[in-house]
Amino acid sequence: MPNFLPINTILVPQGAEYKAVCRAFRGVTGSIPTVVAIPVGMKPLRKYLQQGQFLAAKSRVLIMGICGSLSDRHTVGDIVLYQDCVYQEKQQECDRTFTAQLHSCISDKVSLVKSLTSDRLIWSAAEKRRLGETLAADVVDMEGFTALEFFNASGVDVAILRVVSDDCQHNIPDLTPAINSDGSLKPLPLAMAMLRQPLAATRLIRGSLTALKVLEQVTNRLISGYSQK
């Protein structure tokens, strides 16, 4: 058995993040992980995972995607590997062995972080900095804790690798009204939210494009490491 992988399944939020990860697999042959698009947000993801039947105990799942920074130490395009994830006063840990193996594969370009999972979009730079300071968290996403809680209870090894798409120095548009209850995005409210805050929207788009490019690159790097082991 290879000493790094197998990764059985990669879960990525649907939309641009999922497409970026899939692009990394173009032209790759042989045994590769299954890439699955998941809904955005805690409640939609929990419902989705509870309905899923694609995982078995003792399998390995890698969660990938983009995240927001809560600290000056992490800026747009930085690759982060989660050690644990907090939500309210609860904490879930990533699998240490799996995480260490991923870290060794891309150690020169990745930071080990503590993540916050939020049940709403954190768009304000001031709130990001406050959360980072009060919770000693480095980054924020909307799925990590839910995924860890589910898979840790199921005996599945989980690691989370993300790329920072927005820093804690600037606001991003409040896209909350654009997120459906099923975790998908509503195009018209999304466009309206972006138009209401054009400077913030431009910054978000630029940051997201940078992060998605890095996400594709780091996925490709992992797959190269996979095929060489």
Side-chain angles (χ1 to χ4, degrees):
M1 178 174 291
N3 60 356
F4 167 48
L5 296 160
I7 298 171
N8 303 91
T9 307
I10 298 176
L11 302 184
V12 196
Q14 61 192 359
E17 295 162 83
Y18 173 74
K19 290 175 183 174
V21 169
C22 287
R23 281 196 297 272
F25 285 88
R26 286 179 182 167
V28 176
T29 57
S31 177
I32 59 173
T34 303
V35 184
V36 179
I38 58 173
V40 174
M42 297 185 74
K43 286 183 179 178
L45 178 58
R46 185 177 294 111
K47 182 179 179 181
Y48 173 82
L49 291 174
Q50 288 169 348
Q51 294 172 343
Q53 301 170 1
F54 54 87
L55 296 165
K58 311 249 181 234
S59 61
R60 278 183 154 187
V61 175
L62 177 60
I63 316 287
M64 300 188 79
I66 59 178
C67 61
S69 175
L70 303 178
S71 164
D72 290 330
R73 294 187 301 276
H74 306 290
T75 189
V76 173
D78 286 0
I79 304 166
V80 293
L81 190 58
Y82 290 14
Q83 293 179 299
D84 52 42
C85 204
V86 295
Y87 171 67
Q88 295 178 349
E89 295 183 357
K90 296 177 285 187
Q91 179 176 326
Q92 291 283 337
E93 291 193 357
C94 295
D95 183 78
R96 292 185 180 184
T97 302
F98 188 11
T99 300
Q101 290 171 339
L102 288 166
H103 188 257
S104 70
C105 187
I106 48 173
S107 57
D108 59 326
K109 292 186 176 180
V110 66
S111 300
L112 292 167
V113 298
K114 176 179 180 177
S115 173
L116 164 70
T117 295
S118 175
D119 53 13
R120 60 187 174 84
L121 184 74
I122 309 296
W123 57 270
S124 157
E127 185 177 13
K128 283 189 186 180
R129 291 193 297 272
R130 180 181 62 78
L131 288 168
E133 289 165 8
T134 56
L135 299 172
D138 302 291
V139 297
V140 60
D141 69 26
M142 296 177 68
E143 299 86 25
F145 182 89
T146 300
L148 287 174
E149 185 177 47
F150 178 83
F151 290 121
N152 285 343
S154 306
V156 174
D157 294 343
V158 189
I160 302 180
L161 182 68
R162 291 193 181 241
V163 180
V164 175
S165 62
D166 50 282
D167 61 31
C168 64
Q169 298 299 321
H170 305 92
N171 294 344
I172 60 172
D174 182 4
L175 304 180
T176 305
I179 301 175
N180 267 317
S181 60
D182 66 357
S184 62
L185 289 173
K186 296 182 276 191
L188 187 56
L190 177 64
M192 294 301 293
M194 301 288 259
L195 288 170
R196 275 194 293 269
Q197 298 169 278
L199 284 176
T202 301
R203 195 177 293 114
L204 175 64
I205 291 167
R206 191 181 299 131
S208 296
L209 289 173
T210 297
L212 291 168
K213 185 175 181 181
V214 174
L215 182 63
E216 181 181 347
Q217 290 169 345
V218 72
T219 305
N220 192 268
R221 186 168 176 180
L222 284 176
I223 298 311
S224 298
Y226 172 73
S227 61
Q228 290 166 11
K229 293 288 181 178

